Amino acid sequence: MTSPAEIAQHLTNIAKHGHMVTIFSNKGKNFILTKILDVDFKNGVFTVDWGAEEESNNQVLGSERNVFVCSPDGVKTQFVTGALSKVIVDGQPAFAADLPEQVIKLQRREFFRIQTPLGTPVFCHVEDYGQRAIDLALFDISVGGMSLWLPDVSTLGFDIGQQYHKCTLDLKPIGVLQIGIEVRHRLASRLRNDTEAMRIGCSYLNLTPKMETMIQRYVGFLERERRAMFG
């Protein structure tokens, strides 16, 4: 979209619903998670909440080009601004920028997906799996869903369309996520040791803004860890 009025309205809706926004700065080398605070269509500017880490905030302020990415209602939105400035909103620091000239909306539900570390595996505890609970290793995760490994290709259940409503993931150090899942696809794979494995792709049930924020924070944490490891 290129209409200034449409752009302002779209950003206002993102702010109104409290969707998390990722700002990539310094040619993608740095990023912060934040929220849009306010949109001033008359003056052609909008404000964004200050990040949690001061060093990251300073890196954003020093960046001449910044890419904003978010996924309101599962529809990826992306736009670019020039340099951000520091302002004070309700007594607290915030970022300010000119409204973008263009906003790109991808109608397909696309999300940044990241694999979980093999050294410190994360497990999804499915409480309502038949007569007993089961723990499935997490392969990757995004705001749009996650993939899980079945412990054995012959494991019963987890058919496409099947739902489980009592699932728990300990997303250290962010927090514990309690959510429902629906199996969307199954993929047979062959591991390095030549054994067969089954990976299931799941979407979330009743994802709340608080849950979405937790997942985005965890994805951001994993990305920072990955960047620190590989430089």
Side-chain angles (χ1 to χ4, degrees):
M1 63 179 68
T2 56
S3 164
E6 286 185 349
I7 290 174
Q9 184 59 52
H10 187 57
L11 299 192
T12 298
N13 289 337
I14 292 174
K16 179 181 178 181
H17 291 93
H19 294 294
M20 295 299 295
V21 178
T22 304
I23 305 176
F24 292 92
S25 59
N26 297 312
K27 299 180 180 180
K29 295 178 181 179
N30 309 107
F31 70 92
I32 63 170
L33 285 173
T34 182
K35 292 182 179 181
I36 297 176
L37 297 176
D38 185 57
V39 179
D40 185 346
F41 174 58
K42 182 178 180 181
N43 293 307
V45 297
F46 70 104
T47 52
V48 180
D49 199 11
W50 201 242
E53 299 179 1
E54 202 64 25
E55 181 180 349
S56 298
N57 293 328
N58 291 331
Q59 290 170 340
V60 170
L61 288 174
S63 178
E64 296 181 357
R65 182 178 185 273
N66 299 280
V67 180
F68 291 67
V69 179
C70 63
S71 300
D73 301 320
V75 179
K76 185 176 179 180
T77 292
Q78 181 173 310
F79 58 90
V80 178
T81 72
L84 306 184
S85 59
K86 183 178 180 180
V87 296
I88 301 298
V89 177
D90 295 331
Q92 299 295 325
F95 296 106
D98 292 336
L99 287 174
E101 296 180 358
Q102 180 184 32
V103 170
I104 299 173
K105 291 174 63 179
L106 298 177
Q107 296 303 322
R108 292 180 299 153
R109 292 172 177 257
E110 294 189 355
F111 303 89
F112 178 68
R113 184 178 294 269
I114 192 166
Q115 293 185 15
T116 51
L118 296 175
T120 53
V122 177
F123 290 91
C124 177
H125 182 76
V126 184
E127 183 68 29
D128 53 345
Y129 173 68
Q131 300 297 318
R132 58 182 176 84
I134 189 173
D135 292 322
L136 304 181
L138 186 65
F139 174 71
D140 62 22
I141 187 170
S142 76
V143 177
M146 60 185 178
S147 295
L148 303 166
W149 289 111
L150 294 185
D152 189 278
V153 292
S154 61
T155 301
L156 298 177
F158 299 101
D159 298 318
I160 294 175
Q162 205 157 10
Q163 296 183 350
Y164 299 90
H165 299 271
K166 298 180 180 180
C167 303
T168 304
L169 293 94
D170 189 357
L171 303 179
K172 296 178 180 177
I174 305 304
V176 177
L177 177 68
Q178 294 181 323
I179 199 167
I181 60 173
E182 177 177 335
V183 180
R184 302 302 296 271
H185 63 82
R186 294 166 61 97
L187 178 65
S189 305
R190 187 169 293 277
L191 303 180
R192 290 181 179 179
N193 59 6
D194 208 34
T195 59
E196 289 188 349
M198 182 67 70
R199 197 167 81 223
I200 58 169
C202 304
S203 61
Y204 305 118
L205 298 175
N206 303 317
L207 183 68
T208 66
K210 184 177 180 180
M211 294 173 181
E212 180 182 319
T213 298
M214 182 180 295
I215 295 170
Q216 284 192 316
R217 289 182 60 201
Y218 182 65
V219 169
F221 167 76
L222 291 183
E223 176 65 8
R224 288 193 297 272
E225 292 284 294
R226 189 187 67 82
R227 290 176 181 271
M229 181 178 298
F230 295 105

